[in-house]
Amino acid sequence: MKKHYIRITIVICALILVAVLLGGLFFTYVQVNSVNDEFYDACHSDNEWFGLSFSDADLTLSDYVCNFCLSWEKYSRMRNNNVGYAGRFSWYDGDFHKLESQDFVRVYYLVNDEIQNSYQTRILLMDEDFGYGHTTELGQFAVNAMCDDVFLFDGFMTFQRNLQDETKTYFFKKPAQLTAQFGNTDDEWTSRHELYGAFYAMAENKAQAELNQEAKKKLAEVIKDDEFSKALDVCDRGWFSSYCLFSAGTDNRTPSVCVYDMFVYHPLSIVMARNGYVYLVFLVVLLALQAMVIFTMRKMYINRRNFEARSQKLARSVAHELKTPLAVTKAYVENWEYIDEDERAEVSEKINSEVDHMTKMVNSLLKLSKMDAGDVEIKPEEVEILSLTKSIFKRMEPLVAERELEVTWITDGKAAQATERGAADDAEQDEGAGATGGEGEYCVSADLEMMRIVIGNFLSNAVKFAKKNIKISVSKSAKSVRFSIINDGATIDPKDKKKIWDLFYKKDNARTDRLSSTGVGLAANKSILELHKAKYGVNCGAFETEFWFEMKRVKK
């Protein structure tokens, strides 16, 4: 049976895992598509080359190159740490040439506090060891170098990052990728004006640099060095990596020119970073559902095991309880013809007593079974607990007197010593009010006959086991009525506190001749009180045992 429940638990947990994974995959699929759409639109809007006229005869190659380099400024200022960028400007004048994006310093001078044309700007391409990972203005800037219409080369510059830094000097040569000259060489441009410098980094951190490098490799894969693709718009969308390539250019002029912008991003990484809390919720839901399944299946297994154990115990107990009366009855029947006529009346009475005992036991079990199955209909009415208790106690007075027990009645914490006769007198006075609808203040809404069974079982149990004293207490509060009965008999072992509510549990077989016991009483009380949603329990002291229940009070 245990293996069966384990297999079912594994199957259900696996199904839950599959369901949560499918839900997570669908959510991820939707988010990845959304990121691809978002970044395609963003990269397309960032690309500025579609507004540039490549057929304008007044634009020189230097104008194109300068415009291309200055577009890096925009990308460095509007950098998205989730997107890698690589740019390439190609031209053909009999040979193929290319210029690719990299860190640079923009050197410029101002006319009327502004830059009015491209002649006021020169570009200094930087090596990777410049040491700055972010865009910054360079203070105390000075440069001494050769230049053409676009680039500075073969010289040095001095600068400060801020006033606290010491002046630094940076030497530079003509970059290897500059295979052509743009306009005439001018060695005096840097000395004719008051110059300013600003460093622009294409990446501020290692992750951004890696994305830019990936974009550069992807651009090299898609566009060969000697290839022109003038109006290319390529977008490859994936889960792990996507890229967008835009190009523009013309071959209707000399030289032919073409510009490319490559953007690379990782949709899945972006989705995970943006929606980490959602995946955490998925994980929590998965663990919660699986824990719930495991807990439920474990509980079902334990309940099933306990049920089977109780069934086996019940079968053994019923067989044991019926064995003796059946054996006695069989012996009397088999020997009937050998019994003297004057003894047959007595034997018949004994046989009838054994049959009555068995009938009572069977009826009790049937009633208990119906209560446990919920097949018993409760007929609620106002029941006065104190009056009902005294009425039931009256019938037990002969046994109380026979065993010389002293009974104390306690109402709302006030004790009143009572002999058997005194208790009887009180009961007779209460009969006028009756157990239901009386003028007492200890009323609850309950099934009268069921409450007779409960209180009767508790009283008979106390009389059965008490040595000298019994305390019967009925008290009320604003919301509830509490019944309690205490006897000074042998106490119950704490480990048996739960067992006493089981069928056929008996603490002691002594002194049951006048109060015949079927072993069903406390089990019946448990079922009835639970049907009424009452609180109940047993308290075990060193010298006393208390049984109690508490129900909602009905005010008169």
Side-chain angles (χ1 to χ4, degrees), residues 151-426:
F151 296 102
L152 288 167
F153 49 87
D154 294 339
F156 65 92
M157 67 175 178
T158 59
F159 61 90
Q160 286 181 326
R161 183 178 178 183
N162 53 57
L163 295 177
Q164 289 73 31
D165 288 349
E166 61 182 29
T167 301
K168 297 181 181 180
T169 302
Y170 179 81
F171 293 90
F172 52 87
K173 296 182 179 180
K174 189 173 185 177
Q177 65 170 315
L178 290 181
T179 57
Q181 183 169 311
F182 303 94
N184 298 320
T185 301
D186 187 349
D187 57 358
E188 298 182 358
W189 183 87
T190 59
S191 61
R192 286 198 296 263
H193 312 286
E194 181 181 1
L195 300 178
Y196 302 90
F199 171 68
Y200 295 96
M202 302 306 294
E204 286 189 351
N205 51 57
K206 183 178 180 181
Q208 182 69 48
E210 290 175 351
L211 279 172
N212 289 349
Q213 189 63 26
E214 184 179 345
K216 184 176 181 180
K217 290 181 180 179
K218 181 60 66 175
L219 179 60
E221 292 176 7
V222 178
I223 303 297
K224 307 302 180 185
D225 289 347
D226 57 353
E227 181 180 353
F228 265 46
S229 298
K230 298 181 293 299
L232 192 63
D233 186 350
V234 178
C235 184
D236 181 43
R237 302 184 177 197
W239 276 53
F240 298 98
S241 181
S242 298
Y243 72 85
C244 299
L245 174 64
F246 306 101
S247 70
T250 179
D251 55 3
N252 296 326
R253 54 165 296 148
T254 303
S256 300
V257 296
C258 192
V259 63
Y260 306 96
D261 287 323
M262 171 68 76
F263 301 91
V264 171
Y265 52 94
H266 299 156
L268 185 59
S269 298
I270 297 171
V271 169
M272 296 292 287
R274 288 181 177 180
N275 302 281
Y277 69 95
V278 176
Y279 292 101
L280 181 61
V281 169
F282 273 110
L283 178 61
V284 170
V285 169
L286 173 63
L287 295 177
L289 288 175
Q290 292 195 337
M292 189 183 304
V293 168
I294 293 172
F295 175 79
T296 302
M297 295 303 296
R298 182 177 181 273
K299 187 175 181 181
M300 290 175 62
Y301 165 72
I302 292 174
N303 289 342
R304 177 68 179 274
R305 185 184 63 187
N306 292 341
F307 171 77
E308 292 186 355
R310 285 196 303 269
S311 299
Q312 293 174 1
K313 181 181 178 181
L314 176 62
R316 289 194 299 265
S317 299
V318 171
H320 176 76
E321 291 292 329
L322 293 178
K323 180 179 179 181
T324 299
L326 284 173
V328 171
T329 303
K330 181 181 179 183
Y332 284 139
V333 171
E334 288 178 346
N335 295 285
W336 181 259
E337 60 184 22
Y338 303 108
I339 299 174
D340 295 337
E341 286 292 336
D342 56 348
E343 295 179 355
R344 286 187 177 184
E346 182 182 352
V347 172
S348 296
E349 185 178 345
K350 290 182 179 180
I351 292 174
N352 190 56
S353 176
E354 296 295 339
V355 172
D356 287 344
H357 179 74
M358 289 186 286
T359 302
K360 181 179 179 181
M361 182 187 302
V362 172
N363 288 337
S364 298
L365 288 172
L366 290 174
K367 288 180 181 179
L368 184 60
S369 176
K370 288 182 178 180
M371 284 189 288
D372 287 341
D375 294 337
V376 176
E377 181 181 356
I378 297 177
K379 299 177 181 178
E381 55 184 300
E382 288 189 9
V383 178
E384 218 286 337
I385 295 297
L386 181 59
S387 299
L388 180 60
T389 303
K390 290 182 177 182
S391 175
I392 296 171
F393 181 79
K394 180 182 177 183
R395 297 197 298 269
M396 296 185 180
E397 283 181 339
L399 281 174
V400 174
E402 178 184 313
R403 293 172 182 175
E404 298 180 351
L405 299 176
E406 185 176 306
V407 179
T408 303
W409 291 82
I410 303 173
T411 54
D412 292 327
K414 298 178 181 179
Q417 199 73 14
T419 62
E420 308 82 55
R421 186 65 257 165
D425 293 338
D426 290 339

